[in-house]
Amino acid sequence: MTSRKQFDVVVVGAGIVGLAHAYHAHQRGRTVAVIEQNDRAAGASVRNFGHACITAQSDLALGFARAGRDHWLELSRRAGFWSAETGTHAIARHDDELAVMHEFAAARGPDDARVLNRSEILDRVPAGRTGVVGGMYLPADLQVDPRTAAPAIARWLEFVGVQFFWHTSAISFEPGLVRTSRGDIGADTTFITVNHDIDRLFPDVTDDLALQRCALHMMKAVVPLRFPLATPLFTGWSLLRYSGFDDLPSTTRVAERLHRTYPEYTAIDLHQMYTPQPDGTLLIGDTHIRELSTSPFQSEDGFDVLLEVTKELFDVTTIDVVERWQGVYSTAPGREFLLREPLPGTHIVTVTTGIGMTTSMGLALSSVEKALGATAAVA
Ligand SMILES: Cc1cc2nc3c(=O)[nH]c(=O)nc-3n(C[C@H](O)[C@H](O)[C@H](O)COP(=O)(O)OP(=O)(O)OC[C@H]3O[C@@H](n4cnc5c(N)ncnc54)[C@H](O)[C@@H]3O)c2cc1C
């Protein structure tokens, strides 16, 4: 950068949260720039399940998730990445899990959740038959391709006039100014959407919240299923993961039983779930290890557990692992979002648990409307 550039809106971080802010700001006719330290999106936004897990959220997150649903579908159409209105299936392998599903469906109604009996779930999900007692279908959930969604949105935003500064790090902030590794950029409004790296830019804010990095084991594999899995799949562990299930009477029973029966899975904070990919593979995950700095040494134990529980669930003896990787997102006790304005016009927007794909579009809509006003969107 030779002379100082000036934009209405500068977004720091080209993950899905940053791209969603750039999208909504651009929709409001603002000049927008995105600053990203890597040469492409390479953070949590390309390492996840691609599951817009709308229904299992509660409160603020549920509002963001619902508000973002149509924007995901619109962006999929405009930017040209794969998405599907599949809904989510959940399989119950114990009566207490089915009890949670009945309670959830009763609380939410049939547009959100439908309980399935044993033969219905086994007709829809290619699980082994042993121990299955029923299931649930959440019709409103979406899937996107996590590998291509963020890169495609970035390409499309660039095409419609958003300026990207790739391989450029934001270093510090002043009102109306972002100092970067390639010079200063003027910004009327700045959104800092750098996920867990927010602790490198605003340690005073994150120390107070005990923000950490959460590292996850993930794999992509070919599993010889009795028929293809058509939707994301939750297990009993999922009922302990999402806030929508938190206050149901039977959730504690599921937690107590799973933790008592599987202490070794509890130690790695297992969440057994799956998303089918358009190429026929399954994304399989995950585990959760929370530390301030993520260890570079990823134990095989987490992958072994994922393979073991997957073989048992689908009643298969072989799994052909195509890729293994570590995902990282920010986590803070008892909190799903970190939203602050540390300087006038400079907004921190961080999703502090693993729901950024689900909530990013609606979260960004809310923070852009608050910062820029709820002006009508341009076509
Ligand atoms: C394994 C895994 C599975 C998950 N599954 C799901 C799921 O199925 N559904 C769901 O809703 N959520 C899921 N999540 C969570 C979701 O992926 C994240 O919440 C979301 O991607 C966070 O988006 P982000 O844009 O904040 O972060 P990121 O995608 O990490 O982007 C942050 C960007 O900021 C950049 N950056 C950092 N510092 C600077 C700087 N100083 N200057 C410039 N750039 C900077 C980084 O390089 C990075 O590109 C999952 C997460 C993981 C890890």
Side-chain angles (χ1 to χ4, degrees):
M1 274 175 251
T2 45
S3 62
R4 180 164 134 187
K5 311 231 179 199
Q6 179 72 35
F7 297 89
D8 297 333
V9 173
V10 168
V11 177
V12 179
I16 200 62
V17 175
L19 295 171
H21 279 79
Y23 163 65
H24 286 301
H26 177 266
Q27 288 285 99
R28 274 155 186 71
R30 302 303 211 275
T31 58
V32 182
V34 178
I35 301 167
E36 166 57 50
Q37 65 188 3
N38 288 308
D39 65 348
R40 59 188 181 277
S45 301
V46 297
R47 302 184 197 192
N48 60 64
F49 286 101
H51 183 211
C53 169
I54 296 165
T55 316
Q57 311 302 327
S58 67
D59 302 325
L60 191 60
L62 181 61
F64 289 153
R66 285 181 169 153
R69 189 179 190 279
D70 285 349
H71 292 290
W72 264 123
L73 294 172
E74 176 68 6
L75 272 171
S76 166
R77 193 180 60 75
R78 288 198 186 186
F81 59 88
W82 178 85
S83 67
E85 296 182 73
T86 54
T88 300
H89 280 100
I91 192 162
R93 289 176 292 167
H94 197 281
D95 288 341
D96 56 23
E97 295 171 6
L98 193 56
V100 172
M101 295 178 194
H102 276 289
E103 289 158 7
F104 186 72
R108 289 292 188 85
D111 287 348
D112 266 13
R114 296 166 205 164
V115 175
L116 304 172
N117 66 30
R118 175 182 148 81
S119 71
E120 286 170 331
I121 191 80
L122 286 170
D123 282 350
R124 291 163 173 233
V125 168
R129 291 166 192 283
T130 315
V132 175
V133 295
M136 176 171 66
Y137 181 57
L138 311 174
D141 291 0
L142 302 178
Q143 257 196 278
V144 298
D145 178 352
R147 298 290 169 92
T148 58
I153 294 170
R155 266 197 309 278
W156 177 77
L157 286 172
E158 219 158 4
F159 175 73
V160 297
V162 172
Q163 192 161 343
F164 279 73
F165 297 96
W166 296 105
H167 205 201
T168 302
S169 295
I171 296 163
S172 64
F173 303 87
E174 290 167 28
L177 190 72
V178 181
R179 297 204 185 279
T180 85
S181 53
R182 296 181 195 272
D184 296 346
I185 300 180
D188 295 345
T189 303
T190 301
F191 295 106
I192 307 171
T193 56
V194 295
N195 200 358
H196 42 81
D197 288 341
I198 194 65
D199 65 351
R200 297 188 176 147
L201 296 171
F202 290 93
D204 293 347
V205 172
T206 58
D207 285 352
D208 284 350
L209 303 174
L211 184 130
Q212 291 186 304
R213 286 166 177 73
C214 180
L216 300 83
H217 286 76
M218 290 286 289
M219 54 171 69
K220 176 175 164 133
V222 178
V223 183
L225 302 171
R226 57 187 174 86
F227 57 87
L229 178 65
T231 73
L233 180 61
F234 277 170
T235 65
W237 296 96
S238 312
L239 307 176
L240 313 183
R241 184 68 42 196
Y242 297 106
S243 60
F245 305 119
D246 275 357
D247 295 330
L248 299 172
S250 299
T251 305
T252 314
R253 279 200 287 140
V254 176
E256 283 169 2
R257 178 183 53 80
L258 287 175
H259 294 158
R260 187 179 62 247
T261 315
Y262 304 105
E264 70 283 20
Y265 299 169
T266 302
I268 56 171
D269 196 4
L270 176 71
H271 174 206
Q272 182 187 5
M273 72 162 281
Y274 305 87
T275 53
Q277 299 303 294
D279 64 3
T281 59
L282 291 188
L283 300 189
I284 302 176
D286 49 22
T287 65
H288 302 82
I289 298 161
R290 291 168 182 81
E291 293 176 293
L292 192 53
S293 300
T294 303
S295 168
F297 308 111
Q298 204 179 14
S299 161
E300 258 317 277
D301 295 350
F303 294 118
D304 289 346
V305 167
L306 291 176
L307 290 172
E308 188 178 300
V309 296
T310 302
K311 284 180 184 167
E312 190 204 1
L313 174 64
F314 294 112
D315 194 19
V316 298
T317 51
T318 58
I319 292 176
D320 181 11
V321 179
V322 183
E323 289 171 353
R324 298 166 197 253
W325 67 95
Q326 184 178 55
V328 183
Y329 61 67
S330 56
T331 178
R335 164 180 297 276
E336 293 183 317
F337 304 99
L338 164 56
L339 310 174
R340 292 281 165 88
E341 187 175 355
L343 302 168
T346 301
H347 305 267
I348 296 171
V349 187
T350 308
V351 183
T352 49
T353 186
I355 57 170
M357 294 297 276
T358 306
T359 56
S360 51
M361 295 295 156
L363 165 64
L365 178 63
S366 161
S367 58
V368 165
E369 279 183 351
K370 272 189 199 140
L372 305 183
T375 14
V378 296

